[in-house]
Amino acid sequence: MKREILIVYYSLHGKTEALARQVARGVDSVDGMQARVRTVAPVGTATRAATAAAETGPPSATGDDLRECAGVVLGSPTRFGNMAAALKYFLDGTAAEWASGALAGKPAAAFTSTSSMHGGQELTLLSMLVPLMHHGMFLVGIPYTEPALARTTGGGTPYGASHVSGLRNELSISADEAQLAQHLGERVARLARTLCDAAE
């Protein structure tokens, strides 16, 4: 098993992608661990912008990425309190990994972005965590020992990292939101490293 944390995200307007980069920074801050960033292609009646982003961004995630990783962090904008269809479509295609137990015993986490403060962030995070529980993964959140969780006036939840982008997508990721996303990536990477060490 490679000592890499797989970060898989779908992003339409770029904010979930920006949050993914912060999670990757947290992963990369842990000695011996590395982020592997992947995206998923849009499905259905996707916009030209989303299709272009999929063609120019990171590679699309595959089953090999899942099998080779030491942990997984999923990211998606919210869609009425749920993950975007593109990420759900990817997860629905992981039956082979579920049957083989490829992800069992590995750490996992989630992050999201919404346009409004009460746009369903926590429900969206939980919607991503449920399939990971079925895969037998260890769920990682953000504890209140992280000061930014109590200080943030934007995104950030104990269920995972998040960002509030504004109704016109005008808000950049705040310092607290970035710190929480990095902390989440670091926590997943530290747990994965401990589990890898114990297995050797």
Side-chain angles (χ1 to χ4, degrees):
M1 178 191 307
K2 295 182 180 179
R3 293 197 170 205
E4 294 180 326
I5 302 301
L6 177 63
I7 300 171
V8 181
Y9 72 90
Y10 172 72
S11 186
L12 181 59
H13 299 295
K15 294 305 175 68
T16 307
E17 179 182 10
L19 210 55
R21 288 195 294 268
Q22 296 299 324
V23 174
R25 286 183 63 185
V27 170
D28 291 338
S29 73
V30 177
D31 287 343
M33 302 302 295
Q34 183 177 355
R36 182 191 294 197
V37 180
R38 297 289 186 266
T39 190
V40 293
V43 296
T45 56
T47 65
R48 292 180 183 176
T51 303
E55 291 173 352
T56 60
S60 292
T62 66
D64 286 341
D65 289 319
L66 291 170
R67 288 185 290 273
E68 293 171 359
C69 74
V72 175
V73 187
L74 298 178
S76 171
T78 189
R79 294 292 183 267
F80 305 105
N82 209 328
M83 73 180 94
L87 187 62
K88 179 66 163 57
Y89 183 80
F90 171 74
L91 290 173
D92 284 349
T94 62
E97 287 72 33
W98 170 78
S100 68
L103 296 175
K106 297 178 182 180
F111 59 96
T112 189
S113 176
T114 60
S115 60
S116 63
M117 184 66 75
H118 303 289
Q121 290 190 353
E122 293 181 344
L123 283 173
T124 301
L125 292 168
L126 290 172
S127 78
M128 288 185 275
L129 295 176
V130 169
L132 301 178
M133 290 179 71
H134 278 264
H135 275 285
M137 304 191 79
F138 296 126
L139 302 186
V140 177
I142 302 175
Y144 277 93
T145 52
E146 176 57 37
L149 193 57
R151 187 177 61 231
T152 182
T153 58
T157 84
Y159 305 99
S162 62
H163 166 62
V164 178
S165 65
L167 295 178
R168 292 173 298 279
N169 201 39
E170 74 275 16
L171 301 177
S172 299
I173 293 178
S174 71
D176 285 335
E177 290 171 336
Q179 184 176 343
L180 290 168
Q182 291 172 28
H183 185 66
L184 183 66
E186 179 184 350
R187 280 173 58 81
V188 172
R190 287 190 183 281
L191 178 54
R193 185 178 65 181
T194 298
L195 294 170
C196 287
D197 288 345
E200 290 180 349

